[in-house]
Amino acid sequence: NAGVMQNPRHLVRRRGQEARLRCSPMKGHSHVYWYRQLPEEGLKFMVYLQKENIIDESGMPKERFSAEFPKEGPSILRIQQVVRGDSAAYFCASSQAVGLSGELFFGEGSRLTVL
Amino acid sequence: DQQVKQNSPSLSVQEGRISILNCDYTNSMFDYFLWYKKYPAEGPTFLISISSIKDKNEDGRFTVFLNKSAKHLSLHIVPSQPGDSAVYFCAASYNTGNQFYFGTGTSLTVIP
């Protein structure tokens, strides 16, 4: 299966702990997007990365959240000192097109629960 | 600032009838529009798209209509089937932008 792979699918953390979510894009895709879906809400853009570069992080909270897409390995969304409001489904998507006339392919999401 | 809006959070339709899902947008720079379908506990999957140079795109039972002057697009599903029951998101982008903007979704229930 060459689809977008996210892990873990489910993650439980206590307040103050760190959460790391990983995303491997589809083969041949170099553009990665992270979206967050809060309960009863739509998909909210967080960050757009290409290999080793953050292109647009306008949707990322200014504190505690960071993302990277290293030359080797998956993209990682890191949330430090998690709070209950971080509980959400985090979706990674990848695309092949440089412009946005292509489509996004989504992973199945990582569901974070903060106790 | 919600640039893509889906004002109907839910819709129920009888099997075999037409489902019409609506989407409005505010940014006149958007030139590409997509519809995604999402089942519970799964990621969204691409359904159909339309470029701003067109006003209609059809793929089997699914047709998307674009009215640029009204900044409105709609997804028609005909005939509707129970397996179409899902949350539908519309999304928009523009060629010089870096992101796809998603609506809040419409939950479609097709009643057998």
Side-chain angles (χ1 to χ4, degrees), chain A residues 52-67:
Chain A
E52 300 184 275
N53 287 305
I54 297 174
I55 307 302
D56 182 349
E57 56 181 348
S58 58
M60 289 272 275
K62 293 290 183 282
E63 298 177 348
R64 303 187 297 107
F65 285 72
S66 62

Side-chain angles (χ1 to χ4, degrees), chain A residues 10-40:
Chain A
H10 300 276
L11 182 64
V12 179
R13 285 288 179 265
R14 296 193 180 278
R15 281 179 296 170
Q17 293 184 317
E18 178 179 284
R20 284 195 185 197
L21 310 176
R22 287 174 288 278
C23 169
S24 296
M26 281 186 71
K27 188 176 181 180
H29 288 191
S30 59
H31 305 262
V32 166
Y33 302 78
W34 284 93
Y35 284 82
R36 176 166 67 172
Q37 185 179 24
L38 294 167
E40 308 302 322

Side-chain angles (χ1 to χ4, degrees), chain A residues 9 33 35 37 41-45 48 55-56 58 91 95 98-109 111, chain B residues 2 31-32 34 36 38-46 87 89 93-95 97-105:
Chain A
R9 292 290 309 277
Y33 302 78
Y35 284 82
Q37 185 179 24
E41 293 189 16
L43 294 162
K44 297 286 189 183
F45 168 79
Y48 162 45
I55 307 302
D56 182 349
S58 58
F91 290 96
S95 70
V98 174
L100 295 180
S101 58
E103 60 182 89
L104 287 176
F105 292 84
F106 280 86
E108 294 189 321
R111 279 150 188 84
Chain B
Q2 192 72 27
D31 56 13
Y32 190 63
L34 311 90
Y36 280 81
K38 184 182 181 302
Y39 292 117
E42 294 185 11
T45 54
F46 171 76
V87 177
F89 291 96
S93 67
Y94 54 94
N95 208 33
N98 287 325
Q99 57 174 289
F100 292 81
Y101 297 81
F102 281 82
T104 51

